[in-house]
Amino acid sequence: EDQVTQSPEALRLQEGESSSLNCSYTVSGLRGLFWYRQDPGKGPEFLFTLYSAGEEKEKERLKATLTKKESFLHITAPKPEDSATYLCAVQGGSQGNLIFGKGTKLSVKP
Amino acid sequence: DAGVTQSPTHLIKTRGQQVTLRCSPISGHKSVSWYQQVLGQGPQFIFQYYEKEERGRGNFPDRFSARQFPNYSSELNVNALLLGDSALYLCASRAPGQEDEKLFFGSGTQLSVL
């Protein structure tokens, strides 16, 4: 069964304190691994798609990496506006939909 | 350009009632998906429609149904509401020619069942 597990559930950082969020997955035939950001009361907002092990993508203070079993979202020198829930999702070979993890709630304090 | 729009934003129903949620995709997008997000959980797939045809269905009971109209807007219907149906219902659209599931989500409809 395709499955996504994210850790930690919640993460509190001071502004400027870099860290990483983890997403471990099991899927038959990975078509893509996705990272989304979700603010309270809003729908998820697309950040990255990774397709194969070794791939990396960056956007501002965020960098996503992918191995055969997990993905990391690295946050460098975070700011309070980076506070949100970060969702990881996979798309498997036998289906067209996304399977989401429960998310990591990130709080960045000034 | 307008993003994915959903209506209503909030809804309160009682057990046993029926509800219809509406979604308009981004202009030019022909694929619409519905997801249910229970508080503290990630979104869970309900339906996917493309060109007015159902292309996928998640593990939800037959009380859940959906359709897509010629203008690519969509409705999600839930009959015989249960307390456990309380959730944020998200609609998402996908750009034409996009082979992966890079989705654009609306802000959702928050459904409360009392």
Side-chain angles (χ1 to χ4, degrees):
Chain A
E1 181 182 348
D2 298 345
Q3 194 169 359
V4 176
T5 303
Q6 291 188 246
S7 62
E9 291 185 5
L11 182 62
R12 286 187 167 189
L13 299 175
Q14 288 297 125
E15 185 173 1
E17 179 186 3
S18 302
S19 188
S20 296
L21 282 55
N22 177 264
C23 170
S24 60
Y25 64 91
T26 54
V27 65
S28 53
L30 180 70
R31 292 171 59 184
L33 183 139
F34 300 77
W35 283 97
Y36 284 83
R37 167 189 171 133
Q38 187 172 26
D39 292 299
K42 301 289 187 181
E45 176 187 356
F46 173 81
L47 293 173
F48 303 108
T49 308
L50 302 168
Y51 295 101
S52 57
E55 189 175 0
E56 299 181 351
K57 287 191 177 176
E58 290 188 64
K59 179 180 180 180
E60 295 181 355
R61 295 177 293 281
L62 301 177
K63 179 180 177 180
T65 62
L66 181 65
T67 72
K68 289 186 178 180
K69 294 183 178 181
E70 57 190 350
S71 176
F72 292 93
L73 184 65
H74 306 278
I75 303 176
T76 302
K79 298 182 177 181
E81 53 261 41
D82 294 322
S83 297
T85 295
Y86 291 85
L87 295 165
C88 173
V90 296
Q91 182 183 13
S94 61
Q95 57 209 349
N97 58 283
L98 295 180
I99 297 171
F100 282 87
K102 293 182 179 180
T104 294
K105 184 175 182 180
L106 174 66
S107 298
V108 182
K109 301 300 182 184
Chain B
D1 286 341
V4 176
T5 57
Q6 293 186 242
S7 64
T9 56
H10 296 83
L11 202 52
I12 299 174
K13 292 285 188 178
T14 57
R15 282 178 297 174
Q17 285 189 312
Q18 175 265 341
V19 67
T20 298
L21 311 181
R22 295 176 175 83
C23 171
S24 293
I26 292 172
S27 177
H29 289 197
K30 300 179 180 180
S31 174
V32 169
S33 298
W34 288 94
Y35 285 78
Q36 180 197 64
Q37 187 174 25
V38 174
L39 189 65
Q41 304 290 317
Q44 186 175 359
F45 173 69
I46 310 175
F47 285 109
Q48 183 182 61
Y49 276 79
Y50 178 73
E51 291 281 14
K52 296 167 286 181
E53 291 189 3
E54 183 181 307
R55 293 299 182 95
R57 183 185 183 118
N59 187 25
F60 279 81
D62 291 343
R63 299 185 295 108
F64 289 76
S65 64
R67 55 179 176 169
Q68 187 177 33
F69 299 99
N71 66 353
Y72 304 110
S73 67
S74 178
E75 286 182 352
L76 175 69
N77 294 282
V78 186
N79 294 322
L81 285 167
L82 303 174
L83 295 179
D85 295 331
S86 296
L88 180 67
Y89 288 85
L90 295 162
C91 175
S93 69
R94 188 181 73 200
Q98 182 84 39
E99 292 191 358
D100 66 25
E101 281 297 280
K102 176 183 176 181
L103 299 177
F104 295 86
F105 284 88
S107 292
T109 294
Q110 184 65 55
L111 172 65
S112 298
V113 182
L114 305 178

